[in-house]
Amino acid sequence: MAFIYILEYNYYCSFNILIRMDLIPSKRHQTFVKTRAVIVAVALFSFGAHVHAATLSFSTGQSYAVGQTFPVQVIVSTANGEAINAVSANITFDPSQLKLVSISQTSSIISMWASPPSFSNQAGTADLEGIVPNPGFTGQNGNVATLNFKVLSTGSTKLSFAQASVLANDGLGTNVLTSAPVKSISLGLGTAPNVTTNNLVSPGAPNVTTN
């Protein structure tokens, strides 16, 4: 856009010089300036038409019972045909209410991890930082990783993105993340139903566990 402004300034100055030399009529100059203004406006609109947009979110149920283990998918979605090639997220949870048992990479869009997924139940944090090689990922509901939690106590709890970024596959590393909402979950008493998480594990995408 700066380049367009420079061109506009140069053309304007050039025609002002010609007018002072009586080589171009004043009315013609005015018409030219108006025409150039329309061209610049259209060009600026065209540059601004492509809006970068990507979101991160948590995909899971609304309520679980004490003692139950349940999966939470970390999801990335893009809009306007945006291709992304890297996702980074620092996730927080209440360790007095939830215990993070493992992080699964099964069915993840991430094929290269800048550092292995990790978490701490003492701090109540999980860290994900991965790369999607060219041409990157484009679309909705791309699974970054699956967090497997166990419910420790009753109440209402939240999962949050303390810090996060989603980088465009544009050669510039543009952060296109526009939204990363908090996820609220209700934790109650009752018989904890069995939740199968075996399908989240495969030899090629192991679960990550820490003490």
Side-chain angles (χ1 to χ4, degrees), residues 56-71:
L56 282 175
S57 61
F58 298 106
S59 178
T60 189
Q62 298 298 320
S63 62
Y64 296 98
V66 172
Q68 183 176 1
T69 299
F70 64 95

Side-chain angles (χ1 to χ4, degrees), residues 2 5 7 13 17 22 26 82 91 132 150-151 170:
Y5 285 130
L7 286 179
C13 290
I17 292 171
D22 295 326
S26 174
E82 188 74 66
I91 298 164
V132 186
K150 182 176 182 179
V151 180
D170 59 359

